[in-house]
Amino acid sequence: MIRRPPRSTPKPSSAASDVYKRQEDSPQALKDQLLRVMADNENLRKRTERDISAAKKYGALGLARDLLGSIDNLETAISHMPENRGDMDETLKNILIGVEMSARELASVLERHHIKKVTPEMEKFDYNLHQAMFEVPTDDVEPGMVVQVVQPGYVLHDRLLRPAMVGVSKAAVSGTPDTPDSPDTETEK
């Protein structure tokens, strides 16, 4: 009988030991991976809730902007209505009453949907809500105050739909105009 040398148990190679280590770390790695996926899902849920809330809150933004011109026209029509309606035809009186009722209904709809009119007369100029169209030199009010509203602005919740077009006060120029004797004025000889 031929004797064979006793078999020794082979030492694991470095590749085999890496696999063995990975198998040991596997539960921890899987747990870490699971926690990351759960955190990603939670972040996605929160982001989706914010997007849905913003869509509900600002969904009518485009429609509201498109309606502003019609609202301005309706307000202009009402402001040009005559005060004395006693000598008017009954049909015309009813039309004017209908226009006023439509304007009141539209104002209540705007209020219900959190669309607010910005009329900043005698308020401090705010570049976030107002657009300066011209300056008015005056000493009656401090500089930087809105003294005239050309066109009202509108805000939906906290977003600006249209800035208010305004005239802003500035300090009045004091002094007299240049005289021919002043050094700044050139005279032709």
Side-chain angles (χ1 to χ4, degrees):
M1 179 168 215
I2 303 177
R3 284 193 116 184
R4 293 189 185 175
R7 273 189 162 173
S8 64
T9 54
K11 290 187 178 180
S13 67
S14 64
S17 67
D18 289 345
V19 169
Y20 181 71
K21 283 183 182 177
R22 272 190 262 143
Q23 287 176 348
E24 278 184 356
D25 293 340
S26 179
Q28 182 63 33
L30 288 175
K31 182 179 178 184
D32 186 47
Q33 187 178 11
L34 176 66
L35 290 174
R36 289 177 192 271
V37 168
M38 289 174 61
D40 286 343
N41 283 340
E42 182 65 19
N43 290 338
L44 178 64
R45 185 187 63 77
K46 288 178 182 177
R47 187 172 47 247
T48 303
E49 285 177 357
R50 274 194 313 265
D51 291 347
I52 289 171
S53 173
K56 286 179 182 177
K57 192 173 182 181
Y58 301 114
L61 193 69
L63 176 64
R65 278 194 179 129
D66 291 343
L67 284 176
L68 294 182
S70 300
I71 294 167
D72 290 338
N73 291 338
L74 189 59
E75 289 177 353
T76 302
I78 291 172
S79 69
H80 286 85
M81 288 182 183
E83 293 292 323
N84 185 5
R85 298 181 188 167
D87 57 345
M88 288 184 158
D89 180 39
E90 202 58 37
T91 305
L92 187 56
K93 282 184 192 177
N94 290 336
I95 290 173
L96 295 178
I97 290 170
V99 169
E100 288 173 337
M101 287 172 53
S102 297
R104 281 194 301 270
E105 180 64 25
L106 186 58
S108 71
V109 168
L110 293 176
E111 185 178 323
R112 192 169 46 244
H113 291 280
H114 306 283
I115 298 173
K116 295 182 180 93
K117 191 178 205 179
V118 178
T119 52
E121 187 96 22
M122 300 312 291
E123 294 179 9
K124 190 79 174 159
F125 178 78
D126 181 2
Y127 64 88
N128 294 314
L129 298 174
H130 313 140
Q131 182 174 346
M133 301 304 291
F134 54 91
E135 289 183 319
V136 177
T138 182
D139 288 329
D140 296 338
V141 294
E142 66 181 76
M145 297 294 287
V146 174
V147 292
Q148 184 179 356
V149 177
V150 177
Q151 185 180 43
Y154 288 90
V155 179
L156 173 63
H157 292 281
D158 57 349
R159 286 196 185 165
L160 185 66
L161 292 172
R162 180 180 73 194
M165 308 292 186
V166 298
V168 182
S169 66
K170 72 174 186 175
V173 179
S174 59
T176 58
D178 291 335
T179 60
D181 296 337
S182 71
D184 294 339
T185 310
E186 292 183 22
T187 57
E188 292 185 26
K189 294 185 180 183

